[in-house]
Amino acid sequence: MVPRRSLTIDTEKATKTTYVVGTELTVNLYRCAPPQARFFSIKCSPNVHYKVTPPTKDKNPSPYPLTPNSILLITMDTVSETAFDSKLSVRYYGEKTEALEDAVLHLTAVEISLDVDADRDGVVEKNNPNKASWKWGPNGHGAVLLVNCDSETSYKKKVDSEKEDISKVSDLQDMSKMILRTNGPSTLPEGYKLSMYISQTTSESVRIFRPRTNVKKDNVWKHKLLSLFLKDYLMVVGKDKLTQEVPYLGGKTELMFYVEGLRFPDKDFDGLITINLSLLEPSGKDFPETPIFTDKVIFHVSPWIMTPNTLKPVEVYVCSTKDNFSFLKSIKNLVEKNGYKLKICYEYMNRGDRWMQDELEFGYIDSPHHRFPVVLDSPRDGDLQDFPYESLLGPDFGYVARHALNEDVSSLDSFGNLEVSPPVTVNGKSYPLGRIIIGVAFPTAKGGRNMTQVVQEFLWAQKVQEPIALFSDWLFVGHVDEFMTFVPAPDRKKFRLLLASPDAGYKVFKSLQNTGQGKTEMFPGMPEAITVNAILSDKKLQAENRYVQNCIDWNRDVLKKELGLDDEDIIDLPILFKLIEEEKKMSTRAVAYYPDMVNMIVLGDQLGIPKPFGPQVKGRCALETEMISLLKPLGLKCTFIDDFAPYHKLLGEVHCGSNVLREPSPFRWWNLEL
Amino acid sequence: MVPRRSLTIDTEKATKTTYVVGTELTVNLYRCAPPQARFFSIKCSPNVHYKVTPPTKDKNPSPYPLTPNSILLITMDTVSETAFDSKLSVRYYGEKTEALEDAVLHLTAVEISLDVDADRDGVVEKNNPNKASWKWGPNGHGAVLLVNCDSETSYKKKVDSEKEDISKVSDLQDMSKMILRTNGPSTLPEGYKLSMYISQTTSESVRIFRPRTNVKKDNVWKHKLLSLFLKDYLMVVGKDKLTQEVPYLGGKTELMFYVEGLRFPDKDFDGLITINLSLLEPSGKDFPETPIFTDKVIFHVSPWIMTPNTLKPVEVYVCSTKDNFSFLKSIKNLVEKNGYKLKICYEYMNRGDRWMQDELEFGYIDSPHHRFPVVLDSPRDGDLQDFPYESLLGPDFGYVARHALNEDVSSLDSFGNLEVSPPVTVNGKSYPLGRIIIGVAFPTAKGGRNMTQVVQEFLWAQKVQEPIALFSDWLFVGHVDEFMTFVPAPDRKKFRLLLASPDAGYKVFKSLQNTGQGKTEMFPGMPEAITVNAILSDKKLQAENRYVQNCIDWNRDVLKKELGLDDEDIIDLPILFKLIEEEKKMSTRAVAYYPDMVNMIVLGDQLGIPKPFGPQVKGRCALETEMISLLKPLGLKCTFIDDFAPYHKLLGEVHCGSNVLREPSPFRWWNLEL
């Protein structure tokens, strides 16, 4: 719909106004007519066009009859060269068509368009008709904004969005371009102004900058020169400055703005941001100006997106501790042999905290013009707590944290308890970025542990990887990565869900017993050594594992439903658990009985699996043999890594002790059908 | 989709479980098979049904071949009479079909259904398939909840939702019924429990009660007796009690619950509430129970809904002050003559604050089973501030307030600045409950006044009357009711928008001058008396009214667009304004030059209009004559009420000094297509 503006004209005094090409002026001719007027006629400059409603029988009567509903619609199709160079006048006539009075209107025509990349191709097109709305999906529209959560500087650093000015030109890359295109006389008529504004709420989420000096399109050399002097970027609107005049440069010009996102979608922020630009008309001395034309654009802030195991690894992160030299060597071998990068977090930074999986989660943000990884810092805050900010945050490496408010932080807040599935389709609904998976307590349980509300709210608010809550509170440590992971597969849904399964574990041990290997030992040659027969005759252990299998099966049913999986998409891994009593005997929870093989690192088709130390059959570990027989058909290569002393004994395994930065998904989040 | 549960059976020990009719048990037959098993067969009680997947070529082979994917699907269609009265057993066979071992499963079948009025007909139907989701519209579904914001007691009162218990049986009327229907043996098998639970977030919005004593369906007399003893209602779940066991009564029974809403939709609450009920299975000594079946229902809290001028009045509210006796008499005449009720707020309560429109807004909440009016108390908090709580809150009269947090409350927070349109359709989108209208500053204006954020957020969050923000900050008092109102009409959209119009005002005065009445006086016989000629020759007044007309025209354009109005839907009323300087000369803002006739009370076809004291022509006020000629064709009757001294001089008029409680809309909000 064409924007319409009501305008009053006057027989006593000429009216002056500015017209924006593409709009329509409506004049109630009766309202400003002399009381005795009965007819009217119209004259105007050639670039002014008009229509009279309601239409008269005679198409172009001279003069027109005046009725209480007589409305004049005015448009112009070319911009003015000078102020008020166009004119329209209405002559009123009395009963006997005698001329009574004239009402004269002087017009200046300008073009104004606030533009963004609404079609998401990386280029700011001109006046996209959809620029003021957001629509998800491949046929959708709406510009994209990044939270400027990286840090251009690595020394004395600060998250860029927390700085009020632009300290490096490179920071502009993290912002979205917005262009004010104008065309018209060299200056606006006296008293007219352009004004940009945002709402109070919006100002918490966005800041807009522009070069201090007005840059004309042809002054490219000047623009380049400018970029040397950084303080030449001015904040136009932002916190405590909701509105500001912006220059009108005259002729056909473009003024560049840089839009900086400040916060991620969250419980109280849907990610949408509206920016307005108005043309203000002077209302005369002592009166405030009135907006006579408003253009709007909308941005959607990129959500924070997690990367499933099926995406290509870029860099593997592990901690170096006093006691993990050989583990580190195994990881280094696995990683470098396959051409990935390895980053070791040394002890001065980790202070003995080896749980690299738990302190942080890697994700990324994405826009048509730019994208970069963003680490989500867990409220866990162990001795590793400085690592995400101090070692990861940097140029094109963002940082976001959520801090628990009035809640206790529990072990369920560690990000071994935060995973993401590969892409799935569930009952026809597609999740091309997968679904986030977290672990909580059964809501029916009194005194259960949970992931803090702020983190859960953050995850749900990102929307593009709708979370699934599993039940992980049955585990002593309480992380979903203790009983599940995803590996790539060549067939079916292109992945398998691996689940720890005591039943599958018992099946291996029973097979050994059946084939006369009952006396072989689990943990051979280790202080913990125990025969297969002894394991199978331990009724308490069996009851515990029955309970564990029930807990895992409950999660299996949820995962099948929420990820649309069949039994054929799931592989049961032979893993036994045992229950331990917690302090004060408050409750009994599960830990892995031998190294928890599902807690693996997945690097393409290479799996780094905790070495289980199972019974030896013909010189090979029966559990390893079983793992290989389950995973080899998928083209996966198993490397068993000894994590017994430095990880397993401390109730974690390979996955808990590592983290993988992966490439972003080739699927762009705004193409999602929500 | 039928809910499925993974179940493990065991060859060493019989497995016992409880089955919920309508679900499916899936057993991985391979997982629990002896390692050497190659075939299996199945036997079961007649009420147990099973299916084997993947299907075999031979439809019913005996025995079945065992594969790693062999899954057994179990259902039952009748409930058990005693615990574990049904049975299924799997026999495993070796390579040469020699019998190896049996895995036995004992089953108890029960029916469990948590039920609500999901089809919105006032009756809690059984197991509505849509009970766990919300869909707007006439073909939608989902149960409705009221915020229990009235007060059953009028003495020592408190909003009911702020009390933790039920003090009167009548309070149950304000809650939604929810029924737990169960069928099965007289008791659940040992260790099984039913448990109701809500999330932490949900507990801020809902409380659920049930009668303390278990009531069997046939014990109607007992139920009646119970209702005499009020403390017999127990809170089942709510704040600080997220989960609680609920009794299983045995046989075919219904257990009634009462669901109480605690908060309205707001910025951080979408109005949706989920309530869960699980059947918990014992996992053995020392292990926590596991939920094996969960039923869910959803409620949507009724939004707070405003009533436009086109709805039937019920009761008119005005203040009695020392100086408004004759005004009060006029109002009383108008109201009682037309058969409406009048409620006078006396001075002990109003303490001289006469602005009944500004301290509160009437609305209502609605559900299929019950509805009542709810007053929204403004953060204005003038001397009338106690009136809404003290005089309005009561049985079936609700109360809700929003308090400004760290913001200044301005005159724009008075509810003369909060109105609602009649039903409209805009570009095909229908608003059958109308749209809320508020006034704010131009966002381009520095230092403009605004309506507080908390109130705006509350209004937007109600969703069913999507608000429109007008520009009212140009007015000294700053209320939308100073320049607009709606009146009923027999034709077109069934209403007209009335707008104050200085142009229309000047037109009346110019007509008088043209017909030789230039010397007649505005305000005849009053100290303010001034001739028509003098008014028309006042260039300053003219410039001010030009500005005012621009401001109103800006709003006119917004209203036309947002309400889908044509010029023919709008009537311009002849009203002049003047500008006054505010304290400290911060800005210049408008007040009515003579009583602001648009600020009227609308009671069906009766309009109570501020008496304008215009020039007398043939013994009749020319402004009144003009008003009548504009409104009479719509069948509207104008009564001009002298509010000059007690209201107009204090910068308000009839509408500002009154309020109207109206009947709710016949359109039910859940039928809206959102």
Side-chain angles (χ1 to χ4, degrees), chain A residues 1 4-6 8 10 12 28 30-31 33 35-36 69 71 195 197 201 243 267-268 278 280 283 286-291 427 442-444 446 453 501 503 507 510-511 514 539 542-544 546-547 549 553-554 556-557 561 567-568 572 579 588, chain B residues 1 4-6 8 10 12 28 30-31 33 35-36 69 71 195 197 201 243 267-268 278 280 283 286-291 427 442-444 446 453 501 503 507 510-511 514 539 542-544 546-547 549 553-554 556-557 561 567-568 572 579 588:
Chain A
M1 224 173 60
R4 289 188 168 181
R5 175 158 74 95
S6 294
T8 300
D10 199 331
E12 299 194 5
N28 185 325
Y30 185 77
R31 218 205 246 175
Q36 66 275 41
N69 300 328
I71 306 279
S195 172
Y197 62 92
T201 314
T243 178
K267 190 188 181 188
D268 58 352
S278 283
L280 305 186
S283 302
D286 298 335
F287 305 137
E289 300 114 346
T290 317
N427 293 328
F442 275 140
T444 47
K446 280 168 194 151
Q453 210 60 31
S501 168
D503 279 350
K507 188 144 188 164
K510 280 186 195 166
S511 281
N514 273 329
K539 294 295 166 196
Q542 218 168 337
E544 291 175 354
R546 166 82 21 259
Y547 166 68
Q549 187 68 56
D553 278 347
W554 191 91
R556 179 192 185 98
D557 291 336
K561 181 171 172 234
D567 285 304
E568 289 74 11
D572 288 320
L579 297 199
T588 305
Chain B
M1 222 174 63
R4 288 189 169 181
R5 176 159 73 94
S6 294
T8 299
D10 199 332
E12 299 193 3
N28 186 325
Y30 186 77
R31 216 205 245 174
Q36 66 274 38
N69 300 327
I71 305 280
S195 171
Y197 62 92
T201 314
T243 178
K267 190 189 182 188
D268 59 351
S278 283
L280 305 185
S283 301
D286 297 335
F287 306 135
E289 298 115 345
T290 317
N427 293 327
F442 274 141
T444 49
K446 280 168 193 150
Q453 210 59 33
S501 168
D503 279 352
K507 191 145 186 163
K510 280 186 196 165
S511 280
N514 273 328
K539 293 297 166 196
Q542 218 169 338
E544 291 175 354
R546 166 81 21 257
Y547 166 69
Q549 186 69 58
D553 277 349
W554 191 93
R556 179 191 184 98
D557 291 338
K561 182 172 170 235
D567 285 304
E568 290 75 12
D572 288 321
L579 297 199
T588 304

Side-chain angles (χ1 to χ4, degrees), chain A residues 381-401:
Chain A
D381 293 345
D383 284 331
L384 252 175
Q385 68 169 310
D386 294 339
F387 178 71
Y389 192 91
E390 295 300 335
S391 301
L392 296 173
L393 172 64
D396 281 354
F397 207 117
Y399 173 92
V400 58

Side-chain angles (χ1 to χ4, degrees), chain B residues 376-647:
Chain B
L376 175 64
D377 189 357
S378 160
R380 167 185 184 260
D381 293 345
D383 284 332
L384 251 175
Q385 68 168 311
D386 294 339
F387 177 71
Y389 192 92
E390 296 299 336
S391 301
L392 295 174
L393 172 63
D396 280 353
F397 206 117
Y399 173 91
V400 57
R402 282 295 174 273
H403 305 286
L405 297 170
N406 301 316
E407 292 171 274
D408 289 340
V409 169
S410 77
S411 175
L412 273 65
D413 286 301
S414 292
F415 287 165
N417 198 28
L418 169 61
E419 300 298 320
V420 65
S421 82
V424 289
T425 298
V426 188
N427 293 327
K429 187 175 175 189
S430 113
Y431 299 89
L433 296 168
R435 294 187 69 176
I436 287 172
I437 294 169
I438 63 165
V440 300
F442 274 141
T444 49
K446 280 168 193 150
R449 298 168 299 174
N450 214 328
M451 186 176 267
T452 50
Q453 210 59 33
V454 280
V455 173
Q456 290 202 44
E457 283 164 4
F458 174 82
L459 296 175
W460 256 268
Q462 306 313 307
K463 283 195 202 130
V464 297
Q465 298 178 306
E466 191 189 338
I468 303 168
L470 296 182
F471 168 44
S472 66
D473 189 37
W474 59 275
L475 287 149
F476 184 84
V477 173
H479 299 173
V480 293
D481 72 347
E482 296 179 80
F483 64 87
M484 58 159 288
T485 193
F486 297 95
V487 291
D491 58 349
R492 296 187 59 83
K493 302 186 170 72
K494 300 290 169 197
F495 71 88
R496 291 289 189 282
L497 167 62
L498 307 187
L499 286 178
S501 168
D503 279 352
Y506 272 102
K507 191 145 186 163
V508 169
F509 291 107
K510 280 186 196 165
S511 280
L512 290 174
Q513 193 178 51
N514 273 328
T515 54
Q517 324 267 337
K519 287 183 182 158
T520 55
E521 283 181 337
M522 181 79 218
F523 308 124
M526 296 161 71
E528 297 84 353
I530 178 171
T531 67
V532 168
N533 288 340
I535 289 172
L536 288 175
S537 62
D538 183 341
K539 293 297 166 196
K540 181 164 170 285
L541 187 67
Q542 218 169 338
E544 291 175 354
N545 276 287
R546 166 81 21 257
Y547 166 69
V548 167
Q549 186 69 58
N550 283 347
C551 293
I552 295 175
D553 277 349
W554 191 93
N555 288 306
R556 179 191 184 98
D557 291 338
V558 173
L559 286 165
K560 280 170 71 175
K561 182 172 170 235
E562 299 294 339
L563 298 180
L565 303 183
D566 302 314
D567 285 304
E568 290 75 12
D569 297 312
I570 304 175
I571 296 176
D572 288 321
L573 303 187
I575 299 163
L576 298 192
F577 290 79
K578 63 184 178 189
L579 297 199
I580 58 175
E581 270 177 18
E582 292 190 69
E583 277 180 277
K584 297 181 197 160
K585 223 189 153 181
M586 288 294 284
S587 53
T588 304
R589 290 190 169 108
V591 298
Y593 183 71
Y594 47 81
D596 186 357
M597 295 182 288
V598 79
N599 196 274
M600 63 179 66
I601 185 172
V602 180
L603 302 172
D605 59 359
Q606 298 288 331
L607 311 180
I609 302 173
K611 189 173 178 59
F613 296 96
Q616 295 279 322
V617 176
K618 294 179 193 157
R620 293 182 58 187
C621 166
L623 290 169
E624 291 185 17
T625 305
E626 177 68 8
M627 286 291 280
I628 291 167
S629 83
L630 290 168
L631 297 169
K632 203 176 171 186
L634 300 174
L636 299 171
K637 282 151 211 105
C638 303
T639 303
F640 293 93
I641 296 172
D642 178 0
D643 70 355
F644 202 86
Y647 293 88

Side-chain angles (χ1 to χ4, degrees), chain A residues 338-372:
Chain A
N338 291 290
Y340 308 121
K341 286 189 281 181
L342 181 70
K343 181 131 172 191
I344 294 173
C345 168
Y346 290 99
E347 209 168 350
Y348 76 92
M349 176 62 71
N350 69 46
R351 296 173 286 197
D353 183 352
R354 66 201 66 204
W355 308 114
M356 182 55 86
Q357 182 66 220
D358 291 336
E359 190 57 48
L360 60 98
E361 189 73 37
F362 288 118
Y364 66 96
I365 56 177
D366 192 9
S367 75
H369 57 282
H370 195 40
R371 68 179 169 194
F372 54 78

Side-chain angles (χ1 to χ4, degrees), chain A residues 442-597:
Chain A
F442 275 140
T444 47
K446 280 168 194 151
R449 298 167 300 174
N450 214 328
M451 187 176 267
T452 50
Q453 210 60 31
V454 280
V455 172
Q456 289 202 44
E457 283 164 4
F458 174 82
L459 296 174
W460 256 268
Q462 305 312 306
K463 283 193 203 135
V464 297
Q465 299 178 305
E466 191 189 339
I468 303 167
L470 296 183
F471 168 45
S472 67
D473 190 38
W474 58 275
L475 287 149
F476 183 83
V477 173
H479 299 174
V480 291
D481 72 347
E482 296 178 80
F483 63 87
M484 57 158 290
T485 193
F486 297 96
V487 292
D491 57 351
R492 297 188 58 87
K493 303 185 169 73
K494 300 293 170 195
F495 70 88
R496 292 288 189 285
L497 166 64
L498 307 187
L499 286 178
S501 168
D503 279 350
Y506 272 102
K507 188 144 188 164
V508 170
F509 291 108
K510 280 186 195 166
S511 281
L512 290 174
Q513 193 178 50
N514 273 329
T515 55
Q517 324 268 335
K519 287 181 180 159
T520 55
E521 282 180 339
M522 182 77 217
F523 308 123
M526 296 162 71
E528 297 84 354
I530 179 170
T531 67
V532 168
N533 288 340
I535 289 174
L536 288 175
S537 62
D538 184 341
K539 294 295 166 196
K540 180 163 169 285
L541 186 67
Q542 218 168 337
E544 291 175 354
N545 276 287
R546 166 82 21 259
Y547 166 68
V548 167
Q549 187 68 56
N550 283 347
C551 293
I552 295 176
D553 278 347
W554 191 91
N555 288 305
R556 179 192 185 98
D557 291 336
V558 173
L559 286 165
K560 280 170 72 176
K561 181 171 172 234
E562 299 296 337
L563 298 178
L565 304 183
D566 301 312
D567 285 304
E568 289 74 11
D569 298 312
I570 305 175
I571 297 175
D572 288 320
L573 303 187
I575 298 164
L576 299 191
F577 289 79
K578 62 183 177 189
L579 297 199
I580 59 175
E581 270 177 19
E582 291 190 68
E583 276 179 276
K584 296 180 199 160
K585 224 189 153 179
M586 286 294 283
S587 52
T588 305
R589 290 189 169 109
V591 298
Y593 182 71
Y594 46 81
D596 185 359
M597 296 182 290

